[in-house]
C-alpha cells in the first residue's frame, strides 16, 4: 500500500482552505479599513445614542437645571420610543437602507443622463455645429426656450 492511501482523506479540505483564506482576508481588511459598519438597526441605535449624548452634554446655563431635566426626559422618551421598533424589526432598517441606496442610484442615473444631454455637443463630419450648438448660437431658435406647454398635432 502506498503512503498516499494510508493517510485519512479530509473531504472538506477545500472548504477548510477557503474558510481560512476568507478569515485571513477579513482580518486584512479589518486591519486596513477598520471595523465594517453593522446592520442598519445597529447604526440607528448608535446614532440615537450619539445624538442623546451630544444633546445632554450641551451646556445650558441660561435655562438652568429645570431645562436640563426636561431635555433629559425628552431624550429618554425618544430612546424608549425608538428601541422597541428597532428590536422588533431589525431587518426593516436593512431594507430601508437598501431602498435608499436604490433610490440614490436611480437619481444619480437620471441626473447623469440629463447632464450628458445638456452638455453634449455634436460636431458634423465637415466641422459644422450640430443642433445643440446651433440652438445656442441662434437666439430665435424655439428649442432654446424650453417646453411651451401642450401642442396639438394633426395626424390626418
Amino acid at each position: 500500500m502506498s503512503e498516499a492511501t494510508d493517510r485519512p482523506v479530509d473531504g472538506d479540505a477545500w472548504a477548510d482552505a477557503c474558510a481560512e483564506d476568507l478569515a485571513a482576508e477579513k482580518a486584512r481588511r479589518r486591519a486596513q479599513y477598520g471595523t465594517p459598519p453593522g446592520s442598519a438597526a445597529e447604526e440607528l441605535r448608535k446614532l440615537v445614542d450619539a445624538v442623546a449624548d451630544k444633546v445632554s452634554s450641551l451646556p445650558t446655563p441660561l435655562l438652568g437645571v429645570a431645562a436640563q431635566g426636561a431635555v433629559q426626559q425628552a431624550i429618554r422618551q425618544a430612546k424608549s420610543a425608538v428601541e422597541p421598533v428597532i428590536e422588533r424589526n431589525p431587518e426593516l432598517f436593512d431594507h430601508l437602507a437598501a431602498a435608499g441606496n436604490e433610490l440614490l442610484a436611480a437619481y444619480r442615473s437620471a441626473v447623469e443622463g440629463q447632464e450628458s444631454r445638456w452638455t453634449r455637443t455634436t460636431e458634423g463630419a465637415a466641422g459644422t455645429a450640430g443642433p445643440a450648438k446651433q440652438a445656442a448660437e441662434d437666439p430665435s431658435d424655439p428649442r432654446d426656450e424650453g417646453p411651451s406647454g401642450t401642442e396639438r398635432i394633426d395626424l390626418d
Side-chain angles (χ1 to χ4, degrees), residues 96-154:
L96 288 174
N101 287 336
E102 291 294 323
L103 285 172
L104 181 60
Y107 175 76
R108 282 183 180 157
S109 175
V111 168
E112 287 172 356
Q114 189 63 36
E115 285 177 343
S116 70
R117 284 192 292 276
W118 288 339
T119 58
R120 185 179 329 146
T121 58
T122 57
E123 295 290 327
T128 60
K133 189 153 182 149
Q134 288 173 353
E137 293 172 353
D138 185 8
S140 65
D141 192 338
R143 292 177 291 181
D144 207 21
E145 296 173 8
S148 62
T150 60
E151 181 179 337
R152 180 169 165 75
I153 301 173
D154 189 14

Side-chain angles (χ1 to χ4, degrees), residues 44-45 48 76-87 93:
L44 178 62
R45 208 177 266 123
V48 168
R76 282 194 298 276
Q77 286 177 342
K79 285 177 88 172
S80 67
V82 169
E83 279 297 322
V85 174
I86 294 172
E87 290 297 322
F93 297 99

Side-chain angles (χ1 to χ4, degrees), residues 2-156:
S2 72
E3 190 175 317
T5 58
D6 290 341
R7 284 185 268 154
V9 177
D10 185 10
D12 291 334
W14 182 258
D16 293 342
C18 288
E20 289 172 6
D21 288 346
L22 182 61
E25 179 64 18
K26 285 181 178 180
R28 185 189 67 78
R29 286 180 181 253
R30 219 179 351 266
Q32 184 175 0
Y33 301 112
T35 305
S39 70
E42 291 169 1
E43 294 300 314
L44 178 62
R45 208 177 266 123
K46 288 178 187 177
L47 176 66
V48 168
D49 290 340
V51 169
D53 290 344
K54 185 65 176 176
V55 169
S56 64
S57 70
L58 292 175
T60 55
L62 298 176
L63 301 176
V65 176
Q68 280 185 324
V71 167
Q72 293 294 331
Q73 179 64 24
I75 291 170
R76 282 194 298 276
Q77 286 177 342
K79 285 177 88 172
S80 67
V82 169
E83 279 297 322
V85 174
I86 294 172
E87 290 297 322
R88 283 191 306 256
N89 306 309
E91 68 280 349
L92 169 74
F93 297 99
D94 291 331
H95 290 297
L96 288 174
N101 287 336
E102 291 294 323
L103 285 172
L104 181 60
Y107 175 76
R108 282 183 180 157
S109 175
V111 168
E112 287 172 356
Q114 189 63 36
E115 285 177 343
S116 70
R117 284 192 292 276
W118 288 339
T119 58
R120 185 179 329 146
T121 58
T122 57
E123 295 290 327
T128 60
K133 189 153 182 149
Q134 288 173 353
E137 293 172 353
D138 185 8
S140 65
D141 192 338
R143 292 177 291 181
D144 207 21
E145 296 173 8
S148 62
T150 60
E151 181 179 337
R152 180 169 165 75
I153 301 173
D154 189 14
L155 298 176
D156 292 332

